[in-house]
Amino acid sequence: MKLPQIINSLLETDSYKFSMGQAIYHQFPAYKTTWTFKCRNQDVQFTPEMVEEIREQIQAYCTLQFTEEELEYLDNIKWFKGSYIDFLRLWRPRYEDFSITTDAECGLAIETTGTWLNTSMYEIPTLAIVNEVYFRMQYRYDELMDSFRERLDDKYEKLKTGHWFAGNFSEFGLRRRLSAEAQELVVQKFSHLNDTLQSASHFIGTSNVYLAKKYNITPVGTMAHEWIMCIGQGNHKHNPAYSNWYALDAWVKEYGILNGTALTDAITTDCFLKDFQLTYATLFSGVRHDSGDPFEWGEKMIAHFESLGINPKTKTLLFSDSLDFVRADKLFRRFSKRINVAFGIGTYLSNDTCVEPLNIVMKTTKCNGQDVAKISDAPGKGVCKNPEYEEYLKRCIDWRMSHE
């Protein structure tokens, strides 16, 4: 490797990978998935040297194992069970599950294929490696960090002095961070925000479990789109328009009333609400927004809770779609008096520099040999290799929406 090792701990992933991982281990251990990398930037090109560095960094990641200290940390989180901790004691990434080539328009193609237990865990470290390799090898890294620090200091001062009011917010930027150094700087700096009495904003945690452990803050995250897509569409007997019901049911079997923030937009929020009726709306502590107009979504969710006779003030709206503090401030002022509001802020915190960040994703494209797709509340956010399957899924959703 030409660069220092980027991922140095198996805890260096998003918290929801462990939340989903435990439920996968207990309920869907035989499921197999394929994940596909995509760069959405039109003008980005990965050089062969970058691809080779990415390959070697992923090989290094695949040599890692959990330490007993790390496992003890996870075991002290109340919703983890000893059986899953014992599984993690034996688990390690398999480089054989990866295919890394230059066969893509952007110069980088990555796919992972294997058990869902394995491939789910690869997404976040892979994206973090791709991102850091690109920015270190494409630009003068020191200049990017100077720009990053300047912008971070400005954000911190504006929050501390009350220029912005962001309420409770977390850092969600691991997958598209400029570097491990940059993300740690964010967490380190904002962990002191709560000590400033004049600040009306509160930093409550990070999705990066490694940094949460290091700085003794809360690891934040519950479920991702893969959970709904694989459970709802990976079983060939399921009507995919009922994906949310199957996913919510499996989550409650695993966690009961714990660890409950439901993601609404895997197959559109309107379809989600068909299944998010009184039982699930009571059991889950909140819902997460990840596409579409956040103001319309917030109003829709409040109206839904009220229609079920649930006091919205007992629930939380978690916003996590392309947020900055300007938008978070507006959303907080709009909703905070009617419902609890929280924010998960990603790239704006972990990769805000003088150059445009990468818009890279790694999405589930097959489960148990069958195509899967996400139909979100905004176009362009999904990755599906089979347009015919995507059209079939849309027809299933449309039929349910017009006949129930």
Side-chain angles (χ1 to χ4, degrees):
M1 295 184 296
K2 294 181 179 179
L3 302 176
Q5 186 165 335
I6 292 171
I7 301 295
N8 293 282
S9 166
L10 292 181
L11 285 185
E12 201 157 9
T13 190
D14 282 342
S15 178
Y16 64 19
K17 287 298 180 179
F18 294 112
S19 297
M20 291 185 293
Q22 175 170 275
I24 294 167
Y25 175 67
H26 287 141
Q27 299 183 54
F28 308 100
Y31 274 35
K32 294 185 177 180
T33 56
T34 297
W35 293 67
T36 304
F37 169 84
K38 182 177 182 179
C39 179
R40 292 169 174 161
N41 304 73
Q42 296 299 310
D43 56 347
V44 166
Q45 194 67 31
F46 293 89
T47 66
E49 292 77 17
M50 291 177 187
V51 176
E52 181 58 29
E53 181 68 20
I54 289 165
R55 188 179 289 117
E56 292 181 10
Q57 288 283 347
I58 290 175
Q59 284 179 320
Y61 156 71
C62 289
T63 66
L64 298 173
Q65 288 183 277
F66 286 101
T67 68
E68 286 302 315
E69 183 186 7
E70 290 170 338
L71 293 170
E72 183 180 353
Y73 171 79
L74 292 176
D75 200 25
N76 285 327
I77 297 173
K78 62 183 176 182
W79 48 76
F80 286 130
K81 300 170 184 175
S83 56
Y84 181 57
I85 301 301
D86 278 343
F87 164 75
L88 292 179
R89 184 170 282 111
L90 302 174
W91 184 80
R92 63 187 301 174
R94 294 184 73 252
Y95 185 69
E96 294 79 7
D97 292 343
F98 287 81
S99 170
I100 307 167
T101 72
T102 59
D103 300 333
E105 188 175 339
C106 69
L108 174 65
I110 304 175
E111 277 203 341
T112 60
T113 303
T115 63
W116 190 13
L117 271 170
N118 280 0
T119 51
S120 175
M121 294 291 278
Y122 302 153
E123 176 197 2
I124 308 301
T126 297
L127 292 173
I129 286 169
V130 169
N131 218 76
E132 186 160 348
V133 166
Y134 177 80
F135 282 105
R136 284 187 180 270
M137 297 182 74
Q138 180 70 14
Y139 298 98
R140 291 178 63 90
Y141 175 72
D142 289 345
E143 292 180 1
L144 292 183
M145 277 302 298
D146 288 343
S147 169
F148 179 83
R149 288 190 184 93
E150 181 180 338
R151 295 175 183 219
L152 180 61
D153 288 344
D154 180 62
K155 296 182 183 88
Y156 181 83
E157 287 301 316
K158 287 180 176 176
L159 285 174
K160 188 176 76 170
T161 59
H163 177 79
W164 291 320
F165 194 108
N168 294 327
F169 71 95
S170 303
E171 185 277 325
F172 272 24
L174 172 54
R175 71 187 62 209
R176 294 176 188 157
R177 68 188 184 186
L178 172 64
S179 63
E181 177 190 17
Q183 188 185 22
E184 181 161 357
L185 187 61
V186 173
V187 172
Q188 185 180 45
K189 192 172 189 69
F190 280 109
S191 63
H192 299 300
L193 182 67
N194 300 343
D195 300 331
T196 60
L197 295 178
Q198 66 268 46
S199 176
S201 302
H202 301 279
F203 180 66
I204 60 172
T206 175
S207 64
N208 184 330
V209 182
Y210 173 79
L211 290 179
K213 176 180 179 295
K214 183 172 182 177
Y215 288 93
N216 194 29
I217 57 178
T218 304
V220 180
T222 53
M223 69 175 70
H225 295 99
E226 64 177 277
W227 179 253
I228 298 120
M229 292 162 62
C230 291
I231 293 174
Q233 301 170 42
N235 186 326
H236 301 194
K237 298 177 181 179
H238 289 174
N239 180 335
Y242 294 81
S243 294
N244 287 301
W245 186 90
Y246 290 111
L248 293 170
D249 182 63
W251 197 265
V252 169
K253 284 179 182 176
E254 187 68 32
Y255 293 111
I257 64 171
L258 297 175
N259 204 22
T261 300
L263 183 58
T264 69
D265 71 330
I267 55 170
T268 74
T269 293
D270 287 339
C271 194
F272 168 84
L273 293 179
K274 289 282 188 181
D275 295 312
F276 198 62
Q277 294 300 315
L278 186 59
T279 297
Y280 294 131
T282 300
L283 290 172
F284 281 81
S285 60
V287 286
R288 178 160 76 93
H289 171 268
D290 199 53
S291 65
D293 186 301
F295 296 94
E296 291 181 8
W297 177 86
E299 296 292 350
K300 184 178 292 186
M301 293 311 308
I302 290 173
H304 184 72
F305 284 125
E306 290 175 340
S307 74
L308 298 173
I310 295 173
N311 181 359
K313 288 298 288 183
T314 65
K315 301 297 176 181
T316 298
L317 301 182
L318 173 59
F319 296 91
S320 64
D321 180 32
S322 304
L323 288 178
D324 56 28
F325 286 126
V326 173
R327 177 174 277 198
D329 180 276
K330 292 177 180 177
L331 288 164
F332 188 88
R333 294 177 191 277
R334 174 77 165 264
F335 295 115
S336 63
K337 292 182 179 179
R338 293 183 286 159
I339 193 168
N340 298 311
V341 177
F343 303 99
I345 302 179
T347 309
Y348 172 71
L349 284 180
S350 68
N351 197 355
D352 185 15
T353 72
C354 54
V355 301
E356 183 182 357
L358 290 182
N359 187 354
I360 55 174
V361 296
M362 197 160 177
K363 298 291 186 183
T364 325
T365 49
K366 283 185 179 293
C367 183
N368 297 331
Q370 179 164 296
D371 294 291
V372 295
K374 179 177 77 167
I375 310 295
S376 70
D377 294 330
K381 293 204 73 173
V383 177
C384 181
K385 287 187 169 184
N386 186 345
E388 290 185 3
Y389 176 76
E390 191 170 357
E391 184 60 34
Y392 161 73
L393 176 56
K394 289 178 180 177
R395 290 201 311 271
C396 290
I397 295 169
D398 289 344
W399 189 94
R400 183 182 182 192
M401 296 304 295
S402 61
H403 287 79
E404 282 190 4

Short mmCIF file of all heavy atoms in Angstrom, two decimals, residues 179-224:
data_model
loop_
_atom_site.label_atom_id
_atom_site.label_comp_id
_atom_site.label_asym_id
_atom_site.label_seq_id
_atom_site.Cartn_x
_atom_site.Cartn_y
_atom_site.Cartn_z
N SER A 179 -11.43 11.59 5.19
CA SER A 179 -10.42 10.67 5.72
C SER A 179 -10.81 10.29 7.14
O SER A 179 -11.67 10.93 7.76
CB SER A 179 -9.04 11.33 5.73
OG SER A 179 -9.04 12.45 6.60
N ALA A 180 -10.15 9.28 7.68
CA ALA A 180 -10.36 8.92 9.08
C ALA A 180 -9.96 10.08 9.98
O ALA A 180 -10.63 10.36 10.99
CB ALA A 180 -9.54 7.68 9.41
N GLU A 181 -8.90 10.77 9.63
CA GLU A 181 -8.45 11.93 10.40
C GLU A 181 -9.53 13.01 10.45
O GLU A 181 -9.81 13.60 11.50
CB GLU A 181 -7.18 12.50 9.78
CG GLU A 181 -6.65 13.75 10.45
CD GLU A 181 -5.53 14.42 9.67
OE1 GLU A 181 -5.35 14.11 8.47
OE2 GLU A 181 -4.84 15.27 10.26
N ALA A 182 -10.15 13.27 9.31
CA ALA A 182 -11.17 14.32 9.23
C ALA A 182 -12.39 13.96 10.07
O ALA A 182 -12.93 14.80 10.81
CB ALA A 182 -11.57 14.57 7.78
N GLN A 183 -12.86 12.72 9.96
CA GLN A 183 -14.05 12.34 10.73
C GLN A 183 -13.78 12.39 12.22
O GLN A 183 -14.62 12.86 13.00
CB GLN A 183 -14.53 10.94 10.33
CG GLN A 183 -15.88 10.61 10.98
CD GLN A 183 -16.35 9.20 10.72
OE1 GLN A 183 -15.55 8.32 10.40
NE2 GLN A 183 -17.65 8.98 10.86
N GLU A 184 -12.60 11.95 12.64
CA GLU A 184 -12.29 11.98 14.07
C GLU A 184 -12.21 13.42 14.56
O GLU A 184 -12.63 13.71 15.69
CB GLU A 184 -10.97 11.26 14.35
CG GLU A 184 -10.63 11.25 15.82
CD GLU A 184 -9.63 10.19 16.21
OE1 GLU A 184 -9.20 9.40 15.34
OE2 GLU A 184 -9.27 10.14 17.40
N LEU A 185 -11.73 14.32 13.73
CA LEU A 185 -11.67 15.73 14.11
C LEU A 185 -13.07 16.28 14.38
O LEU A 185 -13.29 17.04 15.33
CB LEU A 185 -10.98 16.54 13.02
CG LEU A 185 -10.68 18.01 13.32
CD1 LEU A 185 -9.74 18.14 14.51
CD2 LEU A 185 -10.07 18.68 12.08
N VAL A 186 -14.05 15.88 13.55
CA VAL A 186 -15.44 16.31 13.73
C VAL A 186 -15.97 15.82 15.07
O VAL A 186 -16.52 16.59 15.87
CB VAL A 186 -16.33 15.79 12.59
CG1 VAL A 186 -17.81 16.08 12.87
CG2 VAL A 186 -15.93 16.39 11.26
N VAL A 187 -15.83 14.53 15.32
CA VAL A 187 -16.36 13.94 16.55
C VAL A 187 -15.67 14.55 17.77
O VAL A 187 -16.33 14.88 18.77
CB VAL A 187 -16.19 12.41 16.52
CG1 VAL A 187 -16.55 11.79 17.86
CG2 VAL A 187 -17.07 11.81 15.42
N GLN A 188 -14.38 14.70 17.70
CA GLN A 188 -13.63 15.28 18.81
C GLN A 188 -14.08 16.70 19.10
O GLN A 188 -14.32 17.06 20.26
CB GLN A 188 -12.14 15.26 18.46
CG GLN A 188 -11.22 15.73 19.57
CD GLN A 188 -9.77 15.68 19.14
OE1 GLN A 188 -9.42 16.10 18.04
NE2 GLN A 188 -8.92 15.15 20.00
N LYS A 189 -14.27 17.49 18.06
CA LYS A 189 -14.64 18.90 18.24
C LYS A 189 -16.06 19.04 18.77
O LYS A 189 -16.32 19.75 19.74
CB LYS A 189 -14.49 19.65 16.92
CG LYS A 189 -14.56 21.17 17.07
CD LYS A 189 -14.21 21.85 15.77
CE LYS A 189 -14.06 23.34 15.97
NZ LYS A 189 -12.87 23.72 16.76
N PHE A 190 -17.00 18.33 18.16
CA PHE A 190 -18.41 18.51 18.54
C PHE A 190 -18.74 17.82 19.86
O PHE A 190 -19.75 18.16 20.48
CB PHE A 190 -19.33 18.03 17.42
CG PHE A 190 -19.48 19.03 16.31
CD1 PHE A 190 -18.90 18.80 15.08
CD2 PHE A 190 -20.16 20.21 16.51
CE1 PHE A 190 -19.02 19.72 14.05
CE2 PHE A 190 -20.29 21.14 15.50
CZ PHE A 190 -19.72 20.90 14.27
N SER A 191 -17.91 16.89 20.29
CA SER A 191 -18.16 16.28 21.60
C SER A 191 -18.00 17.29 22.72
O SER A 191 -18.48 17.07 23.84
CB SER A 191 -17.23 15.09 21.82
OG SER A 191 -15.87 15.50 21.84
N HIS A 192 -17.36 18.43 22.43
CA HIS A 192 -17.22 19.50 23.42
C HIS A 192 -18.34 20.54 23.33
O HIS A 192 -18.42 21.42 24.18
CB HIS A 192 -15.87 20.21 23.26
CG HIS A 192 -14.69 19.31 23.46
ND1 HIS A 192 -14.46 18.64 24.64
CD2 HIS A 192 -13.69 18.95 22.63
CE1 HIS A 192 -13.36 17.92 24.53
NE2 HIS A 192 -12.87 18.08 23.32
N LEU A 193 -19.18 20.43 22.28
CA LEU A 193 -20.22 21.44 22.08
C LEU A 193 -21.18 21.48 23.26
O LEU A 193 -21.64 22.56 23.66
CB LEU A 193 -20.99 21.14 20.78
CG LEU A 193 -22.09 22.13 20.40
CD1 LEU A 193 -21.49 23.50 20.04
CD2 LEU A 193 -22.90 21.60 19.22
N ASN A 194 -21.48 20.32 23.82
CA ASN A 194 -22.46 20.27 24.91
C ASN A 194 -21.96 20.94 26.19
O ASN A 194 -22.75 21.20 27.10
CB ASN A 194 -22.83 18.81 25.20
CG ASN A 194 -23.43 18.12 23.98
OD1 ASN A 194 -23.85 18.76 23.04
ND2 ASN A 194 -23.43 16.80 24.01
N ASP A 195 -20.66 21.22 26.24
CA ASP A 195 -20.10 21.89 27.41
C ASP A 195 -20.31 23.41 27.37
O ASP A 195 -20.07 24.08 28.37
CB ASP A 195 -18.60 21.60 27.53
CG ASP A 195 -18.31 20.12 27.67
OD1 ASP A 195 -19.18 19.41 28.21
OD2 ASP A 195 -17.23 19.68 27.24
N THR A 196 -20.71 23.92 26.20
CA THR A 196 -20.88 25.37 26.06
C THR A 196 -22.32 25.73 26.40
O THR A 196 -23.25 25.34 25.70
CB THR A 196 -20.54 25.82 24.62
OG1 THR A 196 -21.42 25.16 23.71
CG2 THR A 196 -19.10 25.45 24.27
N LEU A 197 -22.51 26.48 27.45
CA LEU A 197 -23.85 26.74 27.98
C LEU A 197 -24.72 27.53 27.02
O LEU A 197 -25.93 27.42 27.03
CB LEU A 197 -23.73 27.49 29.31
CG LEU A 197 -23.06 26.72 30.45
CD1 LEU A 197 -22.95 27.59 31.69
CD2 LEU A 197 -23.84 25.45 30.77
N GLN A 198 -24.09 28.35 26.15
CA GLN A 198 -24.90 29.19 25.27
C GLN A 198 -25.40 28.44 24.04
O GLN A 198 -26.20 28.95 23.28
CB GLN A 198 -24.12 30.43 24.84
CG GLN A 198 -22.92 30.17 23.94
CD GLN A 198 -21.63 30.01 24.73
OE1 GLN A 198 -21.60 29.31 25.72
NE2 GLN A 198 -20.58 30.68 24.30
N SER A 199 -24.91 27.21 23.82
CA SER A 199 -25.32 26.47 22.63
C SER A 199 -26.69 25.83 22.84
O SER A 199 -26.93 25.17 23.86
CB SER A 199 -24.30 25.39 22.28
OG SER A 199 -24.77 24.63 21.18
N ALA A 200 -27.55 26.02 21.87
CA ALA A 200 -28.89 25.41 21.92
C ALA A 200 -28.93 24.12 21.10
O ALA A 200 -29.99 23.54 20.93
CB ALA A 200 -29.92 26.39 21.40
N SER A 201 -27.79 23.70 20.56
CA SER A 201 -27.70 22.46 19.79
C SER A 201 -26.91 21.43 20.60
O SER A 201 -26.01 21.78 21.36
CB SER A 201 -27.00 22.72 18.46
OG SER A 201 -27.70 23.70 17.70
N HIS A 202 -27.26 20.15 20.41
CA HIS A 202 -26.65 19.10 21.22
C HIS A 202 -26.15 17.98 20.32
O HIS A 202 -26.91 17.39 19.56
CB HIS A 202 -27.66 18.55 22.23
CG HIS A 202 -28.20 19.59 23.16
ND1 HIS A 202 -27.52 20.03 24.27
CD2 HIS A 202 -29.36 20.30 23.12
CE1 HIS A 202 -28.23 20.97 24.89
NE2 HIS A 202 -29.35 21.15 24.20
N PHE A 203 -24.86 17.70 20.42
CA PHE A 203 -24.25 16.60 19.68
C PHE A 203 -24.46 15.33 20.49
O PHE A 203 -23.96 15.21 21.62
CB PHE A 203 -22.76 16.89 19.49
CG PHE A 203 -22.02 15.82 18.74
CD1 PHE A 203 -22.29 15.56 17.41
CD2 PHE A 203 -21.02 15.07 19.38
CE1 PHE A 203 -21.60 14.58 16.72
CE2 PHE A 203 -20.33 14.09 18.69
CZ PHE A 203 -20.62 13.85 17.36
N ILE A 204 -25.20 14.38 19.92
CA ILE A 204 -25.61 13.22 20.72
C ILE A 204 -24.93 11.92 20.32
O ILE A 204 -25.12 10.91 21.00
CB ILE A 204 -27.15 13.03 20.69
CG1 ILE A 204 -27.64 12.80 19.26
CG2 ILE A 204 -27.85 14.21 21.32
CD1 ILE A 204 -29.11 12.40 19.18
N GLY A 205 -24.13 11.91 19.24
CA GLY A 205 -23.47 10.66 18.91
C GLY A 205 -22.95 10.62 17.49
O GLY A 205 -23.01 11.60 16.75
N THR A 206 -22.42 9.46 17.13
CA THR A 206 -21.89 9.22 15.79
C THR A 206 -22.29 7.82 15.33
O THR A 206 -22.49 6.92 16.16
CB THR A 206 -20.35 9.34 15.77
OG1 THR A 206 -19.85 8.99 14.47
CG2 THR A 206 -19.70 8.43 16.79
N SER A 207 -22.41 7.65 14.03
CA SER A 207 -22.70 6.32 13.49
C SER A 207 -21.46 5.43 13.54
O SER A 207 -21.57 4.20 13.48
CB SER A 207 -23.20 6.43 12.05
OG SER A 207 -22.18 6.96 11.20
N ASN A 208 -20.27 6.02 13.62
CA ASN A 208 -19.01 5.28 13.62
C ASN A 208 -18.79 4.66 15.00
O ASN A 208 -18.49 5.35 15.97
CB ASN A 208 -17.87 6.23 13.26
CG ASN A 208 -16.53 5.52 13.13
OD1 ASN A 208 -16.27 4.52 13.78
ND2 ASN A 208 -15.67 6.06 12.29
N VAL A 209 -18.93 3.34 15.10
CA VAL A 209 -18.87 2.67 16.39
C VAL A 209 -17.47 2.78 17.01
O VAL A 209 -17.32 2.92 18.22
CB VAL A 209 -19.30 1.19 16.26
CG1 VAL A 209 -19.30 0.50 17.62
CG2 VAL A 209 -20.68 1.09 15.62
N TYR A 210 -16.45 2.75 16.18
CA TYR A 210 -15.08 2.88 16.67
C TYR A 210 -14.89 4.22 17.37
O TYR A 210 -14.33 4.30 18.48
CB TYR A 210 -14.10 2.75 15.51
CG TYR A 210 -12.67 3.04 15.86
CD1 TYR A 210 -11.87 2.09 16.51
CD2 TYR A 210 -12.10 4.27 15.54
CE1 TYR A 210 -10.55 2.37 16.84
CE2 TYR A 210 -10.79 4.56 15.86
CZ TYR A 210 -10.02 3.60 16.51
OH TYR A 210 -8.72 3.89 16.84
N LEU A 211 -15.37 5.31 16.75
CA LEU A 211 -15.21 6.63 17.35
C LEU A 211 -16.15 6.80 18.55
O LEU A 211 -15.80 7.49 19.51
CB LEU A 211 -15.48 7.72 16.31
CG LEU A 211 -14.42 7.85 15.22
CD1 LEU A 211 -14.80 8.94 14.23
CD2 LEU A 211 -13.03 8.13 15.80
N ALA A 212 -17.32 6.18 18.50
CA ALA A 212 -18.22 6.24 19.65
C ALA A 212 -17.55 5.63 20.88
O ALA A 212 -17.62 6.17 21.99
CB ALA A 212 -19.53 5.53 19.34
N LYS A 213 -16.90 4.50 20.67
CA LYS A 213 -16.17 3.85 21.78
C LYS A 213 -15.02 4.72 22.25
O LYS A 213 -14.83 4.94 23.46
CB LYS A 213 -15.65 2.49 21.31
CG LYS A 213 -14.79 1.76 22.34
CD LYS A 213 -14.31 0.42 21.77
CE LYS A 213 -13.41 -0.32 22.77
NZ LYS A 213 -12.15 0.38 23.04
N LYS A 214 -14.26 5.26 21.32
CA LYS A 214 -13.07 6.04 21.68
C LYS A 214 -13.41 7.29 22.46
O LYS A 214 -12.70 7.66 23.41
CB LYS A 214 -12.28 6.40 20.41
CG LYS A 214 -10.98 7.14 20.68
CD LYS A 214 -10.17 7.30 19.42
CE LYS A 214 -8.84 8.01 19.70
NZ LYS A 214 -8.00 8.12 18.49
N TYR A 215 -14.52 7.95 22.10
CA TYR A 215 -14.87 9.23 22.73
C TYR A 215 -16.02 9.10 23.73
O TYR A 215 -16.55 10.11 24.18
CB TYR A 215 -15.18 10.27 21.65
CG TYR A 215 -13.93 10.71 20.94
CD1 TYR A 215 -13.52 10.08 19.77
CD2 TYR A 215 -13.11 11.71 21.46
CE1 TYR A 215 -12.34 10.46 19.13
CE2 TYR A 215 -11.94 12.09 20.84
CZ TYR A 215 -11.56 11.46 19.67
OH TYR A 215 -10.39 11.83 19.05
N ASN A 216 -16.41 7.85 24.02
CA ASN A 216 -17.45 7.59 25.03
C ASN A 216 -18.74 8.35 24.74
O ASN A 216 -19.31 9.01 25.60
CB ASN A 216 -16.93 7.95 26.42
CG ASN A 216 -17.82 7.39 27.53
OD1 ASN A 216 -18.46 6.36 27.35
ND2 ASN A 216 -17.88 8.09 28.65
N ILE A 217 -19.18 8.27 23.49
CA ILE A 217 -20.45 8.86 23.08
C ILE A 217 -21.32 7.75 22.49
O ILE A 217 -20.89 6.62 22.33
CB ILE A 217 -20.27 10.01 22.07
CG1 ILE A 217 -19.50 9.53 20.83
CG2 ILE A 217 -19.55 11.19 22.72
CD1 ILE A 217 -19.32 10.60 19.77
N THR A 218 -22.55 8.08 22.15
CA THR A 218 -23.52 7.08 21.73
C THR A 218 -23.32 6.65 20.28
O THR A 218 -23.26 7.52 19.39
CB THR A 218 -24.95 7.62 21.91
OG1 THR A 218 -25.13 8.03 23.25
CG2 THR A 218 -25.98 6.55 21.54
N PRO A 219 -23.22 5.33 19.99
CA PRO A 219 -23.27 4.88 18.60
C PRO A 219 -24.72 4.91 18.11
O PRO A 219 -25.60 4.36 18.76
CB PRO A 219 -22.72 3.45 18.67
CG PRO A 219 -23.03 3.00 20.07
CD PRO A 219 -23.03 4.24 20.94
N VAL A 220 -24.96 5.55 16.98
CA VAL A 220 -26.32 5.83 16.54
C VAL A 220 -26.62 5.08 15.24
O VAL A 220 -25.83 5.10 14.30
CB VAL A 220 -26.51 7.35 16.31
CG1 VAL A 220 -27.92 7.65 15.85
CG2 VAL A 220 -26.19 8.12 17.59
N GLY A 221 -27.81 4.45 15.17
CA GLY A 221 -28.24 3.81 13.93
C GLY A 221 -29.03 2.55 14.20
O GLY A 221 -28.72 1.80 15.14
N THR A 222 -30.04 2.29 13.39
CA THR A 222 -30.85 1.08 13.56
C THR A 222 -30.91 0.25 12.28
O THR A 222 -30.25 -0.77 12.17
CB THR A 222 -32.28 1.42 14.02
OG1 THR A 222 -32.85 2.39 13.13
CG2 THR A 222 -32.29 1.97 15.43
N MET A 223 -31.66 0.69 11.27
CA MET A 223 -31.80 -0.13 10.05
C MET A 223 -31.54 0.71 8.80
O MET A 223 -31.67 1.93 8.79
CB MET A 223 -33.20 -0.75 9.98
CG MET A 223 -34.31 0.24 9.73
SD MET A 223 -35.95 -0.55 9.52
CE MET A 223 -36.28 -1.15 11.18
N ALA A 224 -31.19 0.00 7.71
CA ALA A 224 -30.95 0.61 6.40
C ALA A 224 -31.89 -0.01 5.38
O ALA A 224 -32.64 -0.95 5.67
CB ALA A 224 -29.50 0.41 5.99
#
